[in-house]
Amino acid sequence: MASGTGSSPPPETGAPPVAAAATAEEKLEQAVEGAEEEEDAFDIPSKNASHDRLRRWRQAALVLNASRRFRYTLDLEREEEKENLKRMIRAHAQVIRAVFLFKEAGQKNLGESYSSIKLETLSQRFPVDLKKLTMLNRDHDTFIFQEVGGVRGLSDLLKSNLNKGVSPDEDELLRRRDIFGANTYPRKKRRSIWRFVFEACQDLTLVILMVAAAISLSLGMATEGAKDGWYDGGSIFFAVFLVIFVTATSDYRQSLQFQHLNEEKQNIQVEVIRGGKRIGASIFDLVVGDVVPLKIGDQVPADGILISGHSLAIDESSMTGESKIVHKDQRAPFLMSGCKVADGYGSMLVTGVGTNTEWGMLMANLSEDVGEETPLQVRLNGVATLIGIVGLSVAAAVLVVLWIRYFTGHTKNSDGTTQFVAGTTGVKQGFMGAIRIITIAVTIVVVAVPEGLPLAVTLTLAYSMRKMMQDKALVRRLSSCETMGSATTICSDKTGTLTTNKMTVVEAYFGGTKFDPCDNTGMMCTSVTALLIEGIAQNTNGTVFRPEDGGAAEVTGSPTEKAILSWGLMIGMDFKDVRSKSSIIHVHPFNSEKKCGGVALQVSDTEVHIHWKGAAEILLASCRSWLSTDGSVQPMSSSKHREFKKWIDDMAMSSLRCVAFAYCPCEPKMVPTESLDKWKLPEDDLTLIGVLGIKDPCRPGVRNAVQLCSIAGVKVMGRSSPNDKLLLVQSLKRKGHVVAVTGDGTNDAPALHEADIGLSMGISGTEVAKESSDIIILDDDFTSVVKVVRWGRSVYANIQKFIQFQLTVNVAALVINVVAAMSSGDVPLNAVELLWVNLIMDTLGALALATEPPIDNLMKRHPVGRREPLVTNIMWRNIFIQALYQIAVLLIFNFDGKRILHLQNESREHADKMKNTFVFNAFVFCQIFNEFNARKPEEKNVFKGVTNNHLFMGIAGATTGLQILIIEFLGKFFDTARLNWRLWLLSVAIGAVSWPLAYLGKFIPVPVRPFQTYFKRCSCRRKPRQDEEQGGRS
């Protein structure tokens, strides 16, 4: 037996030494890379990240405005408070129930205190007390329940009908909402825009700038007078407030989008019976007295009483906190809102809605939506932290150098005089000079620390989620939107996703004969037809509603049930009459594991029928006989079994869904009188009645969608059982795949939860499947899944565009200001100008580039790997070319601009101002033109589709207009001078050069291997050597 020392096994005897050494080296590199991955605080999983992992990146991030940076992240402290509150509310409800159970056991006449339900307490219309009704729901008080006459008596008090429900009349529904309340709960008041303004003001650098502006304003007005002394401080105030206003407006718009999407997620669609007809309704529209059908996978939409049910099992863990399945029957009829149907089916009478339920009370206390950080957002926090550290270092260096130059008398005024002379310069003047230098350094920090970089993810996600809603995809989890762009495999359902889910019966085999047409049952004797119709009408979750005006019958249920019931109507089934002739004793609900469902019927005092319906190949294996068209029962010979098997196989080869019907008679004495719910229906000695072939046509566009996935490097796998699906997901993830899974059933929930991206179906999907999923496909169409992949890739691509644009501005602005500061003691871009540049780069740049619509080329690339760097080699090349050009040209103008621009004849003060204004103007136009380049990092034609993005064009136009306004009319605020038309033309020309430069630069090849890996490989090799040396010493 192995000792478990942890040493690796030796290589096989026949293995070559070189191969063994290579294997060892590979293992070592993998181990080192794994250790590095573990050490990376800014690397979190796309789903189910632990609170410790989330805390680590928060602690490691460099943040200037925590309230804004962490607005859309999970509030860990509040999350813990919510869990404690949930436990408290659950415990409170359980204690109340325990008290009533104790009293019920000890006092026989306890019910007397509750027996006097006051008539006309709330209204002349409903003789029931809302308070007592609430106690009935909350305390599950059996005395009140028995006093009112059980579910039928309660239904009478609520003026409802257990079969037909309440009237669908809007006035009647409104009256019930007024009296008993609506099925909603109080939501937290929407945050006003002033709240976002307040949060934007909390940016540390902006606070420092406002303090500096206040000092500058007061000193300036004291020394230069109120007329001229307020410009320096006032202009900084104006620029800061402009940044705050634009930032707050952008954040407020995002907040509105997220709120709308959250409301869509909570708007669950349910079935309700009103006026005898099953209709779809919003969960918010339910009223007390409604009759609601329940089936496996549904959420219990309100508090209620079980009317009838078969094998109904409820998962109450959401309310009790215990993972326990509770079986419901007439002895335990109370149903709690928010719980899930784990098995079986039934119907309930709604007795409590909204905050009159425990679920409503819980949601009212937890109504604030929790945030969620995505892996890309966290990675960008890491990038922002790295850039911020560099920026802070540079700003600190600039601050020290400028202070040294200033206090040692090496800084000159615009007229050539020395700014500070020891012993001569006044305290106020010297203090103002120091404050001005601090302002410049802090403004460099504002530009250098890309606070808006992680928030750009939120912006593009909000935009993408809104657009995806139009493409029939509702995003439940933010991270799934970006993860979908990395999907390498899609495990898709066939029925309803690749097909239309509009099923019709096209083939029928009964009595050993194929019917042509499929509804031609004239050759069958009456007894066989009656037996078949009995099985169709009773062994179903669907219903048939015939309007009183004699219109066409309306069939409800799953697509398969609707197809079978519709075929039953074609062969003469009277649904209501057939169901009235026999009573259901026991039901074995259909489930995807056994692929069949059964029902036991009391046909008469001496006769019980067991009907089965399900997958043809499974039921055929359980049949020992078959029913001929004349009603005689024939033994299932091997030849006849092969014949039936061939029919089933032929139908399957024609892409038909094969459903078989079988039955067996049962003696009444075989039916247990006690523990009926545990009775296992006979399923071994069945008689085959026949087989139906149901057609489900392929959705239009699916073939092209699958081909598009293949081109995009995404593998599509279809049709597997829920258990196989889960195993497939686990195996693919172990092999490094990013797996997306579609599912609609309750049994699909584990696979949906396990997958990197779970995609549930909005029409056919159960609530259990939807809650386990990350994205809901509202139209159940595979083409919508492919659109989600496209949008996911667009999110990643848009963020890369913004990173390229922002890094270019960062590098150019930092280098230009640092070089100028070190060499001349002054900077060409002052504090107000840098704040304007920051606005262009941060908020406006994010709005322009993060909202680019997806392009067709996205689906011609391979998926982006989990560990691929955000900044690719192509982006580094583009950044280097543009930043180098801007730095070179603008520094030349900064140091030799007076001569180049022919300003020698101007006064020194005016010439310096003209030169600095020109550098500032040219720098801004470089960014405006480079914004177009950032749209297409890899393509040579950067203008393709630009006119389709109206927001981009609007921002580019607005930025240009505002820049003209600043130079020509706001010179006092920005400390700029007006430029003549030649200098304007030259500024625009310098910016426009970035277009041909970007075009030519894309001919420069780049290595396939990311630049970052070269540094990682060096550190990887250095670390093992250090470990070996330490091991040798020990």
Side-chain angles (χ1 to χ4, degrees), residues 29 83 110 126 129 159 181 191 280 457 463 496 511 518 552 683 734 763 773 805-806 843 862 869 882 950 969 1010:
E29 286 189 7
E83 288 301 319
L110 176 70
F126 299 105
D129 190 336
K159 298 293 181 71
R191 293 197 296 181
V457 180
Y463 168 78
C518 64
E683 54 182 338
R734 278 196 295 268
I763 299 172
S773 68
F805 174 69
Q806 192 169 56
T843 308
H862 283 279
Q882 294 295 331
H950 303 299
F969 302 102

Side-chain angles (χ1 to χ4, degrees), residues 22 63 120 132 267 304 388 458 532 553 568 583 622 779 814 866 926:
V63 180
E120 304 173 355
K132 295 291 194 287
N267 187 15
T458 313
L532 172 62
S583 60
S622 299
D779 59 356
L814 278 176
R866 294 177 190 267
C926 281

Side-chain angles (χ1 to χ4, degrees), residues 138 148 193 208 308 386 423 443 467 480 527 1017 1027:
R138 185 189 64 195
V148 298
I193 191 171
I208 295 172
S308 63
L386 181 62
T443 312
K467 292 293 185 181
S480 63
S527 61
R1017 191 173 181 85
D1027 292 342

Side-chain angles (χ1 to χ4, degrees), residues 921-941:
N921 201 40
F923 181 77
V924 169
F925 275 100
C926 281
Q927 312 322 319
I928 293 172
F929 282 94
N930 190 40
E931 205 162 16
F932 286 82
N933 295 329
R935 290 185 63 250
K936 307 283 184 182
E938 299 181 17
E939 297 179 37
K940 296 182 177 67
N941 183 6

Side-chain angles (χ1 to χ4, degrees), residues 45-59:
S46 58
K47 289 173 75 170
N48 308 317
S50 67
H51 283 196
D52 287 339
R53 292 285 293 274
L54 299 180
R55 282 193 187 92
R56 278 179 60 200
W57 82 258
R58 285 164 170 75
Q59 294 165 356

Side-chain angles (χ1 to χ4, degrees), residues 21 55 147 152 207 326 351 357 375 491 539 545 569 576 857 867 886 896 929 1001:
R55 282 193 187 92
E147 185 67 29
R152 189 165 296 279
V207 170
V326 180
T351 56
T357 69
C491 301
N539 192 13
F545 173 76
L569 293 173
K576 188 176 180 180
N857 280 351
R867 298 288 181 264
Q886 292 178 22
D896 202 21
F929 282 94

